[in-house]
Amino acid sequence: MTATAASGATTTVSNLSTRGLTKVFGGVRAVDGADVTFHEGKINALIGPNGSGKTTFFNCVTGMIKPDSGTVTFKDRDITGKAPHAIAHAGIGRSFQLCRIFPRMSVLDNVLVAVRRTGIRSLLAPARTEAEVTKARQLLVRVGIDHLENAEARDLSYGQQKLLELAGVLMGDPDTIMLDEPAGGVNPSLIGRIGSLVQELNAEGTTFLIVEHNMDLVMSLSHHVIVFDRGRPIAEGTPDIVQSDPRVLEAYLGV
Amino acid sequence: MPNASSTLAAPERAATAATPTDRSRRRKIATVVALIVAAVVVGIFPAAAPNAYILSAGVVILSYACTATSWNFMGGFTGYISLGHAAWFGLGAYGTGILVRDLGLPSFVAWALAGVVVAIITVPIGIAALRVRGASFVIVSIAFVLILLLVFQGWGSFTGGSNGLVVPRPFPDLMRPVHHQVFFYLFAALLAAMLVLWWAINRSRFGIGLKAIREDEDKAEALGIPTRNYKLVAYIISATFTGLAGGMYALWFGDLDPIFQFSILLGSYMVLMALLGGIRHLLGPLVGAIIVGIGLEVFKLQFGDTQFHLVATGLLLALVVLFMPDGIIPALQAGIKRFGPQSSSIREMTAGELAERNRAAGVSGASVFAGRKAEREGVENEDATTPTEEEKR
């Protein structure tokens, strides 16, 4: 908020925002009236201490959890409480905190799952059409695991599985991608690879929302940083401004 | 850097491209051979059967194969284990019998209509049952079959209750052996229809969605699969075919009793047979049905009226779960692969090369976005990398 005032010259375009989003688990207000506006076409980062409600917020936006109150707006449409597959079809792709893939399916099939088809006849048509397989292979080349396309996904290393998950998300042609801890449990060289992929895709026009604890990655990658604490944003702005905000230092770094 | 990685990638792709096509061709040939053998066996079995008992045992085994394969539309594709599929078997059987008795419909019209009735009943039951997963779904499925057992036992005026229901025979003029022979082929035709449908779904867009649900339902949903509708359709297909198998059984056997039609044991056999053969494979339930079916008949002959045949069946299941947890077909495939060319060695090698490639790409990628920053952190990161790289090797 202070940040927007400081860099007042930039006009913000947003396709995804939340108003008063709230989710209560028992006595815990995991997300507590969160008003968040993501910057379209930018890499947005969501940071905050563990338990600050980032993942719950994430799940409310993508429909995995139904919020108790508040709204989520995407491309001027209210998507609050819609089924996750409907939100995926609307154009939001997501990854999971601990990488989730389909362990006993081939790498190629893992990517093909995200193909969008409707109508009974096309659903009963063979899964592997030439155009879709070609596209899936291109994505596997892009993330660098194309030589493993016939391997079972469970045989891949953890880092390769993260890349596979990203390829699957890309297969759905999302214009907004939400990544939950893309660098978690990944060796530094692969973090660099994932980071540059995010930048490439962002340069092509994809909006990113990234929940991440790796501060170096967040600060080097993102254009806009939102700091969460106790279920709502407490500060936002460019990485430099957020890093020097005293509330952030107190909540997140414990200084 | 880009030059190095592209020269690395090219031979890799050529090497791996040859193996999968070979493998899929070999698998295709094996499937075709298996189908031809199966068709020949089915074709000559009735003529070759030495007596009516063996022939009727053949019919029983084929009816098991039908139920296990229809169960597998749900269990194999979505991973939802229903122990209560006997409910659909019983509804199909009683539906056929009652439609013949009360409406005087021709036997096979009643049979088809009973299938439609089962499909319609599946919709509300499926919507309710599929709201829960895992163990809860298993319990819901058992509860449903137990409710039906009580209803069909208690409502004697309509279902015949514990006295049973006599289903008029569709071919009253046929001698018993010929009757068995006709139903042997009818069950075989029903099974063939199911196998064709299973094969078509397996390779379809719908099938890949169902398999994704089996692997990780939430993830499938997040990737855009309308999981609820997919599961419901699979459930309806599975239940309907189970009902058709039950109706066929009613027309063949001619006498129904709620205790046997709505029994947990029957549902358990379907699961046992499918797991035994391998639920991820087209012919898994059929293979399982043949083994369990023959086993049950042999154990019954050996142990007579005692319950020892159940103990023996339980031991059979225990052995399979211990030594072939994925079923017989995958275990055989793994055994055959051990004697064939070891394709996995290629993969291990390329995994190492990938690490090489990623390291190269990672460094160049990092320098793109972080410039000096990456260099500064490079020193710290090196320490963290070393142990993981060693582990990999």
Side-chain angles (χ1 to χ4, degrees):
Chain A
M1 289 146 245
T2 35
T4 351
S7 59
T10 51
T11 47
T12 308
V13 190
S14 175
N15 60 353
L16 181 59
S17 60
T18 68
R19 287 290 164 268
L21 203 65
T22 301
K23 179 70 197 178
V24 181
F25 293 120
V28 182
R29 299 180 79 81
V31 178
D32 191 6
D35 294 339
V36 182
T37 302
F38 293 104
H39 293 197
E40 188 174 354
K42 296 284 193 293
I43 300 173
N44 301 264
L46 198 59
I47 63 171
N50 285 323
S52 60
K54 302 184 301 291
T55 295
T56 307
F57 174 79
F58 223 75
N59 285 335
C60 285
V61 171
T62 54
M64 305 299 290
I65 295 176
K66 290 218 186 329
D68 295 323
S69 62
T71 56
V72 183
T73 312
F74 181 59
K75 291 189 198 162
D76 301 324
R77 269 175 57 203
D78 184 8
I79 58 164
T80 320
K82 284 233 161 63
H85 73 263
I87 291 174
H89 282 250
I92 301 179
R94 71 163 292 179
S95 74
F96 286 85
Q97 188 166 25
L98 297 166
C99 159
R100 282 167 87 165
I101 42 127
F102 305 112
R104 297 192 61 168
M105 289 168 73
S106 75
V107 166
L108 186 64
D109 281 348
N110 259 269
V111 180
L112 286 173
V113 167
V115 167
R116 300 283 146 71
R117 283 198 220 161
T118 46
I120 289 171
R121 195 179 294 171
S122 70
L123 285 177
L124 289 175
R128 293 188 169 199
T129 62
E130 210 179 314
E132 288 163 357
V133 169
T134 308
K135 185 181 168 195
R137 287 211 173 107
Q138 280 166 355
L139 289 171
L140 289 175
V141 169
R142 181 155 203 186
V143 301
I145 52 171
D146 49 306
H147 57 298
L148 297 167
E149 70 168 58
N150 289 299
E152 272 201 343
R154 61 174 172 172
D155 292 338
L156 267 54
S157 75
Y158 186 69
Q160 289 167 337
Q161 290 182 358
K162 284 231 163 192
L163 292 169
L164 174 60
E165 187 176 28
L166 191 57
V169 170
L170 292 176
M171 191 72 191
D173 288 325
D175 39 39
T176 298
I177 296 180
M178 303 178 69
L179 301 175
D180 199 350
E181 298 195 13
V186 172
N187 75 48
S189 69
L190 203 55
I191 293 179
R193 173 92 188 119
I194 291 172
S196 54
L197 257 171
V198 167
Q199 288 201 317
E200 279 172 34
L201 291 161
N202 175 247
E204 291 164 23
T206 309
T207 306
F208 276 89
L209 321 175
I210 298 176
V211 169
E212 186 50 66
H213 284 298
N214 182 327
M215 277 308 115
D216 295 326
L217 184 70
V218 167
M219 295 309 168
S220 62
L221 212 56
S222 49
H223 305 113
H224 185 69
V225 179
I226 299 153
V227 186
F228 244 56
D229 193 30
R230 294 185 189 147
R232 66 167 72 132
I234 54 164
E236 57 182 295
T238 61
D240 291 338
I241 289 168
V242 165
Q243 266 174 314
S244 54
D245 190 309
R247 286 170 303 176
V248 177
L249 295 175
E250 190 202 324
Y252 198 42
L253 304 170
V255 183
Chain B
M1 274 308 169
N3 286 338
S5 63
S6 61
T7 45
L8 254 179
E12 263 167 39
R13 217 168 293 144
T16 42
T19 14
T21 45
D22 276 4
R23 206 183 303 150
S24 72
R25 194 182 304 139
R26 225 179 298 138
R27 193 178 297 161
K28 225 172 256 175
I29 292 171
T31 311
V32 169
V33 169
L35 284 175
I36 292 172
V37 169
V40 168
V41 168
V42 167
I44 64 170
F45 179 82
N51 55 47
Y53 163 70
I54 296 289
L55 188 52
S56 72
V59 178
V60 169
I61 287 170
L62 271 187
S63 76
Y64 282 152
C66 285
T67 57
T69 305
S70 56
W71 178 89
N72 209 34
F73 279 110
M74 189 66 193
F77 280 133
T78 70
Y80 275 68
I81 304 295
S82 161
L83 273 176
H85 252 46
W88 309 115
F89 186 88
L91 281 176
Y94 270 94
T96 305
I98 290 171
L99 285 170
V100 173
R101 185 195 67 188
D102 289 357
L103 300 183
L105 292 175
S107 299
F108 289 94
V109 174
W111 171 75
L113 208 56
V116 175
V117 170
V118 169
I120 292 168
I121 297 173
T122 317
V123 178
I125 300 294
I127 289 172
L130 291 170
R131 293 179 69 89
V132 292
R133 302 180 188 178
S136 309
F137 177 79
V138 177
I139 290 167
V140 170
S141 72
I142 293 176
F144 182 58
V145 77
L146 290 177
I147 291 168
L148 285 182
L149 171 63
L150 291 177
V151 168
F152 276 74
Q153 273 181 331
W155 196 4
S157 58
F158 183 56
T159 65
S162 299
N163 294 327
L165 176 76
V166 174
V167 183
R169 292 172 66 179
F171 315 110
D173 306 332
L174 290 186
M175 301 285 287
R176 193 146 279 278
V178 189
H179 178 78
H180 289 328
Q181 201 169 331
V182 168
F183 272 93
F184 186 85
Y185 289 126
L186 284 173
F187 273 116
L190 181 61
L191 179 62
M194 284 186 215
L195 292 178
V196 169
L197 183 61
W198 206 93
W199 170 83
I201 290 178
N202 190 41
R203 67 200 289 272
S204 73
R205 171 74 212 144
F206 177 54
I208 209 173
L210 291 178
K211 282 180 272 184
I213 292 171
R214 174 182 74 203
E215 298 293 315
D216 188 333
E217 193 168 336
D218 292 331
K219 174 73 187 169
E221 177 79 29
L223 282 180
I225 307 276
T227 53
R228 224 182 54 165
N229 294 347
Y230 272 46
K231 285 187 295 181
L232 186 60
V233 171
Y235 194 59
I236 293 170
I237 293 173
S238 178
T240 304
F241 274 105
T242 311
L244 289 174
M248 193 70 86
Y249 176 87
L251 293 177
W252 170 63
F253 199 71
D255 193 2
L256 302 177
D257 186 320
I259 283 279
F260 295 113
Q261 309 321 323
F262 295 104
S263 82
I264 301 288
L265 202 59
L266 180 62
S268 312
Y269 281 156
M270 296 182 206
V271 183
L272 167 59
M273 291 182 285
L275 287 179
L276 190 94
I279 60 170
R280 288 156 205 274
H281 292 266
L282 170 69
L283 301 177
L286 171 59
V287 169
I290 292 170
I291 292 168
V292 173
I294 293 174
L296 280 174
E297 291 298 325
V298 170
F299 296 150
K300 267 181 202 159
L301 288 178
Q302 292 292 317
F303 302 119
D305 284 338
T306 64
Q307 296 296 309
F308 275 112
H309 68 275
L310 292 180
V311 177
T313 313
L315 280 176
L316 187 67
L317 175 63
L319 286 175
V320 168
V321 170
L322 270 178
F323 297 109
M324 300 180 236
D326 282 344
I328 288 171
I329 291 183
L332 287 179
Q333 280 177 339
I336 292 167
K337 237 178 240 170
R338 199 171 296 169
F339 295 106
Q342 300 279 315
S343 56
S344 62
S345 59
I346 291 172
R347 241 201 49 243
E348 273 167 31
M349 192 182 70
T350 50
E353 283 175 359
L354 176 85
E356 198 71 57
R357 213 171 83 178
N358 279 345
R359 207 174 300 131
V363 171
S364 63
S367 56
V368 167
F369 73 80
R372 266 163 278 134
K373 207 169 184 191
E375 277 169 35
R376 180 156 45 84
E377 283 148 16
V379 189
E380 297 161 17
N381 289 346
E382 222 99 274
D383 302 330
T385 330
T386 329
T388 45
E389 293 301 323
E390 271 170 7
E391 272 167 28
K392 253 188 192 166
R393 279 162 206 162

